[in-house]
Amino acid sequence: CSGTWSSEWWLSNVGKLSFDLFEQKGKMIRCISRVSRASAGIYALKPRWSNAVGRSRSRSMSMSARPAATEWSDDEVMLRDMVKRFAAKEVAPLVSKMDREGKMDGGMLKQLFEAGFMGIEVEDKYGGGEMSFTQTCIVVEELAKVDASVSLVVDIHNTLNNRVVERWGTDSQKSKWLSQMATTSLSSFCLSEASSGSDAFALKTTAKQKGDHYILNGSKMWISNAAEADVFILFATVDQSLRHKGITAFILDARQPGVHIGKKEDKLGIRASSTCEVRFDDVKVAKDAVLGSPGEGYRIAIEALNEGRIGIGAQMIGLAQGALDVALPFLKERKQFGRPISEFQGLQFQVAEACAELEAAKVLVYNAARLKDSGAPFVKEAAVAKLISSKTSEKVASK
């Protein structure tokens, strides 16, 4: 690739693609992904960051300068716009109904899979989009602006479960499970228990080996997506005396004999995303259901949760931005004392503070995401991003 080519040239002359989401559905993310991968070298040789975000870049910018965490490449801008259209057309009309009923719409999950949102980083050979973690966060954020429940379903499935199978699964496990998870089958991350919340690794669910299989017994609490899930990533101990060193990860069919889904929690928020107890009574799984090796479950869970914190951060900034998007027009419409309340300085102070804190949270979230994508350490940055974005989201939404 010549260093004189710009990403704009590449997209307009080589990647002549139709980005009409509602005509191509599941092809969308893969189309953008192919442009992204093919043009990655061009971006590295000559960084041209899109003016679509409202900022022009100086042509005299040093070639060694690094873009800011919240500067978007052309393919990231296109992805964001595509998800925004999907959320407005397919999700927004159902939000009130789903929240009121406390249930995900029957066709929503199918649409999420068809749009390619459930296998964003998964390799193309397994039916995924083969994109970046940052792009996963973009999808999660944009969906959260419209509905936090739909965003959470996409977040957990991508940042926790898909990543666990990609990172720790054997080739045969990936062929069997990951191809389903990227295209048709929702998953749940079964870790927490009644007596092991903050101390999640004091779990009591057991896995007893008997010949060429394991017998699983125990119960899990507060499991997101459990009512709709087809696949469970389960953490159980093969030897409680070993504490965290006995914890082992399993992948299994959520509908197999001995698996019982309990009553859904009646939550105050994020109601359309199911949260349930799951009980395992003498559930038989083959030895090849183990992800990684026996005793590696602690490490698997920790790595997944570290990445998952960034995903939650993306959901939180999306939720906060969505609240602002609803509130700001109202401030201009409502009048008191003969003028819009947006003209009162007291309210202007509150809006300015909310916008400033949200901008800071965005930088934290996407800085952590970029670090993760680059292979640099990101654990501290992920924790900070989740903490600050969560506090910011609550504050913005409450005010």
Side-chain angles (χ1 to χ4, degrees):
C1 293
S2 169
T4 62
W5 292 355
S6 70
S7 57
E8 290 87 351
W9 183 94
W10 177 266
L11 290 170
S12 62
N13 292 277
V14 180
K16 292 183 178 177
L17 304 169
S18 170
F19 291 102
D20 186 342
L21 168 67
F22 305 109
E23 290 181 4
Q24 297 197 29
K25 285 283 186 179
K27 297 179 182 178
M28 285 301 303
I29 277 189
R30 288 181 200 154
C31 286
I32 296 174
S33 175
R34 291 185 186 118
V35 174
S36 174
R37 294 198 301 276
S39 55
I42 297 174
Y43 291 153
L45 287 169
K46 194 173 184 65
R48 295 277 189 88
W49 297 90
S50 175
N51 290 335
V53 294
R55 301 188 186 108
S56 61
R57 310 303 295 167
S58 170
R59 292 185 178 274
S60 63
M61 181 175 67
S62 169
M63 293 300 293
S64 63
R66 298 185 180 185
T70 52
E71 289 284 349
W72 314 110
S73 63
D74 290 310
D75 53 307
E76 289 170 341
V77 171
M78 287 186 289
L79 174 63
R80 186 180 290 278
D81 290 343
M82 182 267 284
V83 181
K84 185 176 182 178
R85 292 197 301 272
F86 176 90
K89 184 173 181 179
E90 307 293 343
V91 181
L94 299 171
V95 172
S96 295
K97 177 178 177 287
M98 292 192 298
D99 186 74
R100 183 171 58 252
E101 296 178 353
K103 182 180 179 181
M104 188 67 62
D105 179 78
M108 181 54 63
L109 289 176
K110 182 180 179 181
Q111 290 187 75
L112 292 172
F113 278 107
E114 288 178 348
F117 297 157
M118 306 303 276
I120 301 169
E121 297 173 76
V122 175
E123 290 181 83
D124 181 72
K125 65 181 178 180
Y126 299 119
E130 204 165 329
M131 300 177 80
S132 69
F133 184 80
T134 296
Q135 289 166 309
T136 297
C137 290
I138 289 172
V139 174
V140 170
E141 181 195 353
E142 285 301 317
L143 291 174
K145 290 177 182 179
V146 175
D147 186 56
S149 295
V150 172
S151 175
L152 183 64
V153 167
V154 173
D155 177 23
I156 291 173
H157 187 79
N158 280 281
T159 66
L160 292 181
N161 301 326
N162 285 350
R163 291 295 298 145
V164 165
V165 181
E166 273 203 301
R167 170 75 173 83
W168 297 95
T170 63
D171 288 341
S172 62
Q173 286 173 328
K174 292 177 185 179
S175 296
K176 178 181 179 180
W177 296 106
L178 201 55
S179 57
Q180 296 179 43
M181 292 165 67
T183 57
T184 59
S185 300
L186 186 64
S187 58
S188 286
F189 191 79
C190 302
L191 176 62
S192 297
E193 298 181 2
S195 60
S196 57
S198 297
D199 183 12
F201 301 106
L203 53 83
K204 296 181 180 178
T205 298
T206 59
K208 300 295 184 183
Q209 186 172 354
K210 291 190 175 181
D212 62 351
H213 62 273
Y214 287 89
I215 301 296
L216 308 174
N217 280 285
S219 62
K220 298 293 181 177
M221 297 292 292
W222 315 293
I223 304 305
S224 298
N225 303 337
E228 301 84 13
D230 302 299
V231 180
F232 283 157
I233 306 293
L234 170 72
F235 295 86
T237 180
V238 295
D239 187 342
Q240 288 183 314
S241 67
L242 295 177
R243 290 280 292 172
H244 69 279
K245 293 183 179 180
I247 296 172
T248 301
F250 297 85
I251 186 167
L252 62 146
D253 187 335
R255 309 299 175 183
Q256 71 182 74
V259 178
H260 305 282
I261 311 299
K263 179 183 176 183
K264 290 197 299 182
E265 298 288 345
D266 187 16
K267 300 177 294 185
L268 291 174
I270 316 185
R271 290 172 49 78
S273 169
S274 63
T275 302
C276 309
E277 176 186 4
V278 182
R279 195 173 74 251
F280 301 88
D281 295 330
D282 293 327
V283 176
K284 182 178 178 180
V285 296
K287 289 175 69 176
D288 63 7
V290 174
L291 288 166
S293 301
E296 285 190 311
Y298 176 85
R299 180 182 175 187
I300 292 171
I302 284 292
E303 286 189 5
L305 292 171
N306 285 338
E307 295 182 19
R309 291 187 181 100
I310 308 174
I312 293 298
Q315 183 195 12
M316 292 298 100
I317 61 176
L319 194 157
Q321 186 64 61
L324 274 174
D325 291 344
V326 171
L328 291 178
F330 175 77
L331 297 182
K332 296 178 181 180
E333 294 169 4
R334 179 166 171 76
K335 293 184 178 181
Q336 289 289 289
F337 306 101
R339 55 176 173 162
I341 61 175
S342 61
E343 295 181 7
F344 291 99
Q345 194 175 47
L347 278 176
Q348 292 174 355
F349 286 155
Q350 293 183 54
V351 171
E353 183 177 7
C355 290
E357 292 180 359
L358 177 54
E359 185 66 22
K362 287 179 181 178
V363 173
L364 289 171
V365 168
Y366 283 103
N367 178 61
R370 301 285 192 197
L371 287 172
K372 192 271 174 189
D373 276 334
S374 72
F378 66 90
V379 174
K380 180 189 73 174
E381 289 79 4
V384 172
K386 181 184 177 184
L387 173 64
I388 299 303
S389 63
S390 298
K391 287 187 173 183
T392 299
S393 180
E394 185 280 325
K395 184 176 179 181
V396 171
S398 295
K399 285 192 173 184

